[in-house]
Amino acid sequence: MIVIPNYDPALAPVFGYIPFICFAEQVEVINQLLWTLEQEDENADVAWSKCRGWGASWVGCLIALWGWSFSQYWPKKRPFNVLMLSRKEEYVDSKLQRSLFWKIRRLMRDMPDWQMPVGWNPDIHDQKGVLINPENGNEIGGESTNTKAGRGDRVTFAWIDEAAAIPDLLGKWSTLAETTDHRWAVSTESLEEGPDFFNLRTGEEMDFRPYLIESEWYQN
């Protein structure tokens, strides 16, 4: 069973981990994100404005792991490789529970054996910043948003976590266009690092606006 940590301090001693059963709005967003993977116009990219506590990072990790595991259901019949980005390396892959790869590994921990790739050996296929599926060759890679972020092989989509907190977000957004047709910038609203995420969200000072998803606190 796929699970997520229960961070409510009052309930954690009783329940510990709870099943990752998406609420209705999470399912709707997942469907929207998968829909954008089929688009070739401005709707191929996403700006997802979300509140805190909505589980957006978990949703991104879930989609990455789903595609990595079950690419035979991917209609385009080509590798389902994913690039997970965050502003610091420790937020990408570390022992911190907030890191993206910690979340992915936590999801994997409770997958039944029959869902794991044939030949899976974590000592070989689970390395710092990369997970390799030995059965189908898919990869989940992770990087911090440094000056060289996204300068690699092509990926199915690039996930930009807490995008509003990334300096020069639009510069990195442009660089990612060279390696993927699907850039998903996900963040709570903030102007501390400048207006780049706001501009993505609104289309201000841009040739086009990415597909917009808005998630409010009362939906959770």
Side-chain angles (χ1 to χ4, degrees):
M1 178 178 291
I2 295 177
V3 297
I4 59 173
N6 182 350
Y7 290 115
D8 186 334
L11 297 179
V14 179
F15 296 108
Y17 288 84
I18 60 176
F20 189 178
I21 301 173
C22 298
F23 52 85
E25 286 77 9
Q26 282 180 323
V27 174
E28 181 179 343
V29 168
I30 289 171
N31 287 334
Q32 290 180 78
L33 290 170
L34 294 178
W35 173 80
T36 67
L37 293 180
E38 299 297 326
Q39 309 310 307
E40 298 180 355
D41 54 12
E42 64 271 15
N43 293 319
D45 295 316
V46 175
W48 180 4
S49 174
K50 53 89 178 178
C51 64
R52 296 195 180 279
W54 209 85
S57 296
W58 281 101
V59 167
C61 292
L62 182 68
I63 294 175
L65 182 58
W66 170 79
W68 180 88
S69 302
F70 306 116
S71 63
Q72 62 266 37
Y73 301 112
W74 176 233
K76 294 189 177 182
K77 303 298 183 184
R78 62 176 183 242
F80 198 108
N81 297 335
V82 177
L83 178 61
M84 307 294 284
L85 296 165
S86 193
R87 60 192 175 92
K88 293 183 179 181
E89 184 176 347
E90 63 193 90
Y91 298 158
V92 178
D93 190 358
S94 71
K95 294 182 179 179
L96 294 177
Q97 294 185 1
R98 69 172 295 172
S99 78
L100 297 169
F101 271 66
W102 186 94
K103 291 179 171 65
I104 294 171
R105 293 186 182 102
R106 186 62 189 85
L107 291 169
M108 294 177 69
R109 197 176 93 183
D110 289 281
M111 289 172 63
D113 291 342
W114 64 268
Q115 286 188 345
M116 294 302 296
V118 174
W120 169 255
N121 182 341
D123 293 334
I124 299 173
H125 304 117
D126 183 353
Q127 302 296 323
K128 180 75 171 179
V130 63
L131 292 167
I132 301 170
N133 186 321
E135 186 174 4
N136 56 30
N138 291 340
E139 296 181 4
I140 301 175
E143 298 178 8
S144 62
T145 49
N146 55 43
T147 56
K148 297 182 180 180
R151 299 180 185 274
D153 294 335
R154 290 194 63 79
V155 294
T156 305
F157 70 85
W159 177 273
I160 311 172
D161 206 52
E162 290 299 342
I166 295 173
D168 187 29
L169 171 63
L170 289 182
K172 297 172 176 64
W173 176 267
S174 298
T175 299
L176 287 168
E178 301 174 6
T179 55
T180 183
D181 295 326
H182 306 284
R183 299 163 290 183
W184 295 352
V186 184
S187 190
T188 51
E189 297 288 347
S190 173
L191 294 172
E192 290 186 10
E193 293 294 342
D196 285 5
F197 183 71
F198 173 83
N199 291 340
L200 276 180
R201 183 182 180 280
T202 61
E204 293 286 339
E205 302 180 13
M206 298 186 64
D207 295 333
F208 69 93
R209 189 187 78 179
Y211 182 78
L212 178 62
I213 299 176
E214 296 179 288
S215 299
E216 307 292 347
W217 65 270
Y218 55 80
Q219 294 176 317
N220 183 353

